[in-house]
Amino acid sequence: MFNLAVPWWEFIVRGVVIYVFLLVLLRVTGKRQISQMSPFDLVLLLILSNAVQNSMNAGDNSLAGGMISATTLVVLNYALAMATFRSKRLERLVEGRPQLIVHHGRVFEDVMRSGNITREELDTTLREAGFFSVKDVRLAVLETNGKISVLGYDR
């Protein structure tokens, strides 16, 4: 139950490597992927967690190994949250920057492409915000969490 197949420190090193790898991988795939999960994204996330499990625990199924791995991930997540809170530069690196999608009725297709946002998704978001024409939109911003904020003209 508590006998480890690998040294305790190896769980920590493996956890750090997998955490950083997944953080970079998810960051590279774009903001929208995190905020607007489809059923396919959820399945991918579940399979992804199963795929990296053995690389984290080196085949060790002991209680102690699981506790070390879980503690490592929670501590890493907390440390990253604190570091991004204290450093705006690190925050931009990890979370990215908000990006302007619409400005005074003009749609920036390049930003939509880089954020993997289709015109249909933008139009849906605009309608949900109460705008039925892009010409009525002063600003639409792709936030760092993947959501789109919309601001219209004062009427």
Side-chain angles (χ1 to χ4, degrees), residues 44-111:
L44 175 65
L45 192 59
L46 292 172
I47 292 171
L48 190 59
S49 65
N50 192 43
V52 299
Q53 176 187 357
N54 287 333
S55 40
M56 279 186 56
N57 68 14
D60 183 311
N61 293 321
S62 70
L63 184 60
M67 292 167 67
I68 293 169
S69 293
T71 302
T72 299
L73 294 174
V74 169
V75 167
L76 278 173
N77 197 58
Y78 179 77
L80 184 62
M82 292 306 296
T84 57
F85 176 74
R86 290 192 173 117
S87 168
K88 293 300 175 194
R89 192 169 168 201
L90 181 61
E91 180 184 32
R92 279 192 305 273
L93 178 68
V94 172
E95 296 182 14
R97 291 182 174 175
Q99 295 177 298
L100 201 57
I101 297 177
V102 179
H103 185 253
H104 295 292
R106 180 172 172 244
V107 178
F108 296 107
E109 300 288 340
D110 57 331
V111 176

Side-chain angles (χ1 to χ4, degrees), residues 132-152:
F132 293 92
S133 172
V134 73
K135 292 176 183 148
D136 297 331
V137 176
R138 183 167 40 154
L139 294 173
V141 178
L142 176 61
E143 303 292 353
T144 58
N145 64 4
K147 295 187 188 289
I148 299 174
S149 299
V150 181
L151 180 65

Side-chain angles (χ1 to χ4, degrees), residues 12-28 52 56 72-73 76-77 79-80 90 93-94:
I12 295 171
V13 170
R14 287 171 173 269
V16 169
V17 169
I18 293 299
Y19 183 85
V20 170
F21 169 74
L22 288 176
L23 184 67
V24 169
L25 182 67
L26 293 174
R27 176 68 176 93
V28 167
V52 299
M56 279 186 56
T72 299
L73 294 174
L76 278 173
N77 197 58
L80 184 62
L90 181 61
L93 178 68
V94 172

Side-chain angles (χ1 to χ4, degrees), residues 32 101 111-113 115-119 121-122 142 146 148:
R32 189 182 146 272
I101 297 177
V111 176
M112 289 179 53
R113 253 191 315 280
N116 295 323
I117 298 171
T118 65
R119 183 57 191 247
E121 291 169 324
L122 175 63
L142 176 61
I148 299 174

